[in-house]
Amino acid sequence: MDSILKQIQVVLVETSHSGNIGSAARAMKTMGLSQLRLVNPLQPIDEQAIALSAGAKDVLEQAQTFATFDEAIADCQLVVGSSARLRHLQSTLVNPRKGGEIVMTQAQQGKIAVVFGRERVGLTNDELLKCHYHLNVPTNPEYGSLNLAMAVQLICYEIRNAYLELENLQKIEKKQPLVEYPTAQSLEYFFQHTEKVYRALGFIKNDAMMPKIRRLYQRTHLETTELNILRGMLSAIENHRNK
């Protein structure tokens, strides 16, 4: 069962302060999570980060650093983003409890990225579009301020609860054969292929259409076999036009 938790990658995007990285590592370890990924941190892991990790130094020592968001999520089959501004993403919005269940179910099948944005501005619209689901903590509408470590702790707690439920009920043995899902990198290739073909056909005439197509496919959470069918259809269209 512990190997399932190692499938869950906590991704921190462009953190401003090293202490926040240490505090997030502490929050992770208390809930049994150990896989930390950093995207272009503005400050490296230093003594302050180690001090605030309070015994989670091992999480910091094995943390991976990536130059871009795309590189950090490339090998993940499911990407879940945490953000406070989600009015335009209602169809993929889940609360932390539901998010924990989704993460734990999918972790049986491959790597999961649970993404936290910049302290001040969160995730960009482009980064949010690359997430299958969007987590929003239902805070007090009059004062919803959460620091990064608080948000990591809350969401990791719900993942932990879902993990314990899965363990207690021994759901793994009762599951049907697992479904394979494509990585974020495979999906990105598909979206690039889709845009190329649709522009050639004249269907896409402006930049506003492709984000809507992305949301449509992300919402369905394509299986690998389904993605292969769609890629085959795109190739067939290209071959037909070239004849």
Side-chain angles (χ1 to χ4, degrees), residues 82 96 114 116 135 137 150-159:
S82 173
V114 181
F116 297 85
L135 278 168
V137 179
M150 286 178 179
V152 172
Q153 186 76 77
L154 280 167
I155 292 171
C156 289
Y157 169 74
E158 293 297 350
I159 292 172

Side-chain angles (χ1 to χ4, degrees), residues 17-44:
H17 305 290
S18 62
N20 289 338
I21 298 174
S23 296
R26 177 182 182 178
M28 289 170 56
K29 188 169 182 178
T30 59
M31 296 299 136
L33 301 179
S34 61
Q35 306 303 301
L36 176 61
R37 296 185 176 188
L38 307 175
V39 178
N40 190 29
L42 303 189
Q43 288 186 354

Side-chain angles (χ1 to χ4, degrees), residues 3 50 107 115 164 204:
S3 62
I50 294 171
V115 185
L164 293 174
I204 294 180

Side-chain angles (χ1 to χ4, degrees), residues 6 37 80 88 100 110-111 116 137 161 164 179 181-182:
K6 291 182 179 179
R37 296 185 176 188
V80 181
H88 62 299
K111 288 184 179 178
F116 297 85
V137 179
N161 278 339
L164 293 174
V179 176
Y181 291 95

Side-chain angles (χ1 to χ4, degrees), residues 77-119:
Q77 281 78 29
L78 182 74
V79 183
V80 181
S82 173
S83 180
R85 49 184 185 86
L86 300 169
R87 292 181 181 177
H88 62 299
L89 296 168
Q90 291 298 314
S91 61
T92 53
L93 181 62
V94 294
N95 62 35
R97 182 153 301 175
K98 181 63 177 177
E101 294 171 358
I102 291 170
V103 166
M104 208 64 251
T105 298
Q106 296 297 326
Q108 299 174 64
Q109 300 161 249
K111 288 184 179 178
I112 312 300
V114 181
V115 185
F116 297 85
R118 302 153 189 84
E119 289 96 331

